[in-house]
Amino acid sequence: MENKKKIFYVTETSLPSNSANIINSLKFCDAISNYYKINFLLPKVNISNLRIKKNYDLKNEIVFFSLLNRDISSSFDRLIFCIKAVIKILINIKSIHFILSRSIMTSIILSLLNIKNVLEIHHGLSGISKILFNIIIKLPLKKKLILLVINKKLIKDLKISKLRHIVLDDGADIKKNKFISSYKYKNTCVYTGSLYRGKGLEIITHLSKIMPNIEFHVYGEKKTSNKLSKNFVISKNVKFKGFVSYSKIKEILKKYHIALMPYEKKIHARSSNLEISKYISPLKMFDYFSAGNIIFASNIKAFDHILKNNVNSFILNNTDFFSWKILINKVFRNLSDYNHIKYNALQSSKKYSWDNRAKKLLKFI
């Protein structure tokens, strides 16, 4: 590790956190750290390195730097954090191989200082970030900015076709993934992840009402469902299992045959104003692949290049609940007939592994 060159990674999310973006960042850095030493810059770290490795199932060592000692809660906090991140980078600039950032403002400042960096973007921009981004991509200094986007639709929406860019989906953890034919739970579907509007709880509830013979196990923070309608009623066969550490998700998923991705037409994230259906690359999809689950997913264009109907998953119309019912029951009655779906899911996890994602970026750079 001592002889490896350094990569500085910048994120505006503190640790600990249950957000998908910090899991994405940590797993990606874990893969990159097979080749480089990672210095991870973030606002606050309130958890030990040992606990970080355990909770997020990391293999390699990552060096964390807390620059703000508090969460970012205002534009002023964000500016101070970005300035401190840039200063930290400038002090170490001679030993840095390249800089990877999830902080738009930090990347913009670095570009203005003529410092090459890679900015990873997962969704459309708004507010001051959008204004600054639109300015920087029109300046000659844009050559110092390389963009990593999670979905090709972002190329058009961000108007970056003339900039150096690469499209990389999220990744799968392929440690200990193997074909399993015997499972703990029968006639039970599983869902993992956040419960924000459009993420799937609404459709799961519809299915539970017309499928009383099937149980639906939901893993995630129930408080994230507080933005749903006040009239929202959960059926008795929907069992909330609560939040579990990300490191335990894969072993939990291996207990189930069918895993659900029942997205609605509009999908929201932590910010109620952030609608992500055009760009979504769900971490749970790759977790399901790694566990060899039979995925039932809504027909969403953002990931139709990954999920293939009757190959590595089943794709259904998100409003045709009876089609979901018929097919789910059919699969449970004849599980051995669908081993090819499980096998192809495991193959897909290898194709979209975190290590392959890291290699593609490193080769591109």
Side-chain angles (χ1 to χ4, degrees), residues 128-144:
I128 188 67
S129 295
K130 183 176 182 179
I131 294 170
L132 291 173
F133 182 81
N134 287 339
I135 291 173
I136 197 72
I137 62 175
K138 293 176 182 177
L139 297 175
L141 296 175
K142 68 185 181 184
K143 293 181 180 179
K144 294 296 180 179

Side-chain angles (χ1 to χ4, degrees), residues 105-337:
M105 190 175 292
T106 300
S107 284
I108 288 171
I109 295 172
L110 290 171
S111 297
L112 289 171
L113 293 173
N114 210 30
I115 297 173
K116 188 176 181 179
N117 67 96
V118 181
L119 173 62
E120 182 169 354
I121 302 179
H122 283 220
H123 51 73
L125 306 179
S126 61
I128 188 67
S129 295
K130 183 176 182 179
I131 294 170
L132 291 173
F133 182 81
N134 287 339
I135 291 173
I136 197 72
I137 62 175
K138 293 176 182 177
L139 297 175
L141 296 175
K142 68 185 181 184
K143 293 181 180 179
K144 294 296 180 179
L145 185 63
I146 300 171
L147 296 172
L148 188 171
V149 294
I150 204 164
N151 189 284
K152 63 182 181 181
K153 184 73 169 60
L154 280 164
I155 298 170
K156 181 180 178 181
D157 289 359
L158 294 175
K159 300 176 182 178
I160 59 169
S161 59
K162 295 182 180 179
L163 274 70
R164 196 173 177 210
H165 63 270
I166 183 171
V167 181
L168 294 174
D169 293 282
D170 258 339
D173 182 352
I174 60 172
K175 295 193 299 289
K176 300 177 183 178
N177 65 338
K178 60 182 181 179
F179 186 88
I180 298 173
S181 58
S182 117
Y183 292 71
K184 178 179 179 181
Y185 295 108
K186 297 180 179 179
N187 295 324
T188 305
C189 299
V190 66
Y191 171 92
T192 63
S194 63
L195 307 176
Y196 294 110
R197 205 153 35 97
K199 285 289 185 80
L201 195 54
E202 302 94 339
I203 293 176
I204 288 172
T205 301
H206 279 294
L207 293 176
S208 69
K209 291 175 181 177
I210 62 174
M211 303 178 71
N213 60 315
I214 301 295
E215 279 202 353
F216 298 84
H217 289 185
V218 177
Y219 292 85
E221 290 182 291
K222 194 174 181 181
K223 66 180 182 181
T224 62
S225 67
N226 59 8
K227 293 183 180 179
L228 297 169
S229 168
K230 292 181 180 178
N231 299 321
F232 194 76
V233 179
I234 301 293
S235 303
K236 290 182 179 180
N237 54 333
V238 177
K239 309 293 184 184
F240 283 94
K241 297 293 186 175
F243 170 79
V244 294
S245 172
Y246 184 73
S247 62
K248 298 177 182 177
I249 287 294
K250 191 170 178 180
E251 290 306 312
I252 287 171
L253 289 173
K254 288 179 180 179
K255 298 175 181 179
Y256 299 86
H257 290 285
I258 293 178
L260 303 177
M261 286 173 50
Y263 292 111
E264 295 204 318
K265 189 174 181 180
K266 290 188 176 182
I267 306 167
H268 293 267
R270 287 178 179 266
S271 168
S272 59
N273 296 323
L274 187 60
E275 204 280 308
I276 58 174
S277 60
K278 290 192 294 184
Y279 319 116
I280 190 168
S281 179
L283 194 58
K284 68 169 64 64
M285 173 172 63
F286 301 99
D287 293 335
Y288 293 169
F289 277 158
S290 296
N293 296 128
I294 300 173
I295 300 173
F296 277 68
S298 298
N299 188 0
I300 302 291
K301 189 170 180 58
F303 47 71
D304 65 4
H305 61 293
I306 300 174
L307 291 185
K308 300 300 180 183
N309 188 48
N310 206 26
V311 176
N312 59 7
S313 59
F314 289 111
I315 312 298
L316 299 100
N317 187 309
N318 58 10
T319 60
D320 187 358
F321 305 124
F322 282 95
S323 289
W324 289 71
K325 174 185 175 178
I326 291 167
L327 190 52
I328 288 173
N329 282 328
K330 182 180 178 182
V331 170
F332 275 132
R333 285 194 305 268
N334 307 279
L335 281 166
S336 61
D337 291 345

Side-chain angles (χ1 to χ4, degrees), residues 58-76:
L58 307 180
K59 180 179 70 173
N60 299 310
E61 295 295 331
I62 295 174
V63 181
F64 295 93
F65 292 93
S66 176
L67 300 186
L68 205 59
N69 293 317
R70 63 180 183 273
D71 294 329
I72 292 176
S73 59
S74 66
S75 297
F76 180 74

Side-chain angles (χ1 to χ4, degrees), residues 71-114:
D71 294 329
I72 292 176
S73 59
S74 66
S75 297
F76 180 74
D77 283 345
R78 178 167 286 105
L79 178 61
I80 296 302
F81 168 76
C82 293
I83 290 172
K84 287 189 173 185
V86 170
I87 291 172
K88 182 75 174 177
I89 288 167
L90 289 172
I91 292 171
N92 293 274
I93 195 69
K94 290 184 179 179
S95 64
I96 298 175
H97 185 62
F98 75 86
I99 300 149
L100 183 56
S101 173
R102 288 289 296 271
S103 169
I104 292 172
M105 190 175 292
T106 300
S107 284
I108 288 171
I109 295 172
L110 290 171
S111 297
L112 289 171
L113 293 173
N114 210 30

